[in-house]
Amino acid sequence: MSELILETKNLSKDFKGFTAVDGVNLQVRRGHIHALIGPNGAGKTTCFNLLTKFLTPTRGNILLSGVDITGEKPAQIARRGVIRSFQISAVFPHLTVLENVRIGLQRFTGTSFHFWKGLGGLRQLDARVMELLTQVDLQDMAHLRAGDLPYGRKRALEIATTMAMEPELMLLDEPTQGMGHEDVERVTDLIKRVAQGRTVLMVEHNMRVVAKIADRITVLARGAVLAEGTYEEVSKHPAVLEAYMGSEATELQGAH
């Protein structure tokens, strides 16, 4: 099995003369937590949108486990096991926590549009749901409405739903955005825990989170790769410090 799960070659996206992503060569190793960081406007979310085919690349190629998936549609890529969670919590607020994760499982098992002929299958599914909820510390909240959960717990629910789809590669888009310190700590520990035996590619702005859990970091600036390496390497890189400037640069250096 290839050591690289995801590779991009010269990945680029132009919008009416503006190049948002410029010749990005990304290599994500199987089993790693790989962070994509950079100042505002660096092209991080555009890059994610290209990887999940919500946008079509202008140039370049995307390979998943050595297979060129550049021409595939979002649904095909999801079926290959590339599952993305979004910046804004994507839960069904009127359903319970358990029902939200069950939907993720049903999508994966292909039973989304089948009526259950008996409760046996449903019970079997719910045992797996409870396993997933236990992994994200939501087992005691299974029967609460998702809309009533605190913000940080909603993100934990979203991660459980993502895990229900058995991802080969989890893409997490700003998983700690808008959270207070306590929730950031909890979700950071959660990501580290659920990443065991999986591969995670995350866009993250919180440098303390990146410093704590990322195995490898790619820094984007103006759509291009500025630096790549461990946190120690990129946090001392002169071009990276210059790109961040001022208080952000101080945060970058002081995150450990």
Side-chain angles (χ1 to χ4, degrees):
M1 194 177 280
S2 168
E3 195 181 319
L4 293 181
I5 189 167
L6 179 74
E7 187 175 12
T8 68
K9 296 182 176 180
N10 193 37
L11 190 65
S12 304
K13 181 64 181 176
D14 299 337
F15 294 103
K16 296 182 178 172
F18 168 68
T19 302
V21 173
D22 188 4
V24 167
N25 294 311
L26 189 64
Q27 294 188 326
V28 179
R29 294 182 187 283
R30 199 175 294 279
H32 271 195
I33 299 177
H34 193 123
L36 206 54
I37 71 168
N40 287 337
K44 304 181 295 289
T45 297
T46 305
C47 206
F48 253 39
N49 286 333
L50 292 170
L51 295 175
T52 47
K53 300 315 298 294
F54 285 89
L55 287 174
T56 304
T58 308
R59 293 173 299 286
N61 299 85
I62 304 165
L63 285 80
L64 184 70
S65 298
V67 176
D68 194 318
I69 60 168
T70 316
E72 293 191 357
K73 293 182 169 58
Q76 290 173 291
I77 286 170
R79 278 196 293 273
R80 286 188 181 274
V82 179
I83 308 294
R84 173 183 182 175
S85 84
F86 286 84
Q87 278 176 304
I88 298 158
S89 189
V91 299
F92 297 102
H94 301 299
L95 298 181
T96 66
V97 167
L98 185 142
E99 287 164 343
N100 266 275
V101 180
R102 190 196 287 156
I103 286 170
L105 276 179
Q106 284 178 287
R107 278 182 189 161
F108 177 66
T109 55
T111 55
S112 324
F113 305 107
H114 297 184
F115 290 103
W116 291 94
K117 292 184 175 146
L119 289 174
L122 202 54
R123 275 198 293 269
Q124 188 183 342
L125 217 52
D126 285 354
R128 175 65 182 138
V129 170
M130 288 309 295
E131 274 178 38
L132 289 164
L133 290 179
T134 301
Q135 284 185 47
V136 299
D137 299 327
L138 287 177
Q139 66 276 21
D140 296 335
M141 301 182 180
H143 298 291
L144 293 181
R145 267 177 19 122
D148 295 335
L149 293 179
Y151 182 69
R153 295 302 177 99
K154 278 182 189 159
R155 298 314 301 262
L157 173 56
E158 188 183 315
I159 289 170
T161 306
T162 304
M163 285 162 55
M165 295 187 230
E166 297 287 345
E168 276 273 303
L169 174 63
M170 287 175 75
L171 301 184
L172 303 180
D173 197 355
E174 300 269 18
T176 68
Q177 186 176 34
M179 286 184 188
H181 178 70
E182 193 179 311
D183 278 339
V184 168
E185 288 285 312
R186 184 186 287 125
V187 171
T188 303
D189 291 341
L190 169 60
I191 292 167
K192 185 157 190 168
R193 197 160 72 234
V194 303
Q196 288 173 6
R198 294 183 173 85
T199 309
V200 174
L201 177 62
M202 60 191 283
V203 166
E204 182 51 71
H205 66 286
N206 187 319
M207 289 307 134
R208 284 180 173 78
V209 174
V210 173
K212 189 172 181 182
I213 63 173
D215 297 299
R216 193 155 188 83
I217 297 159
T218 300
V219 186
L220 292 185
R222 298 187 188 88
V225 175
L226 193 59
E228 191 169 276
T230 63
Y231 187 82
E232 271 75 17
E233 289 163 349
V234 302
S235 64
K236 296 183 180 108
H237 197 292
V240 174
L241 293 171
E242 190 182 334
Y244 271 91
M245 294 188 299
S247 61
E248 279 190 316
T250 307
E251 186 193 345
L252 185 71
Q253 287 185 303
H256 257 319

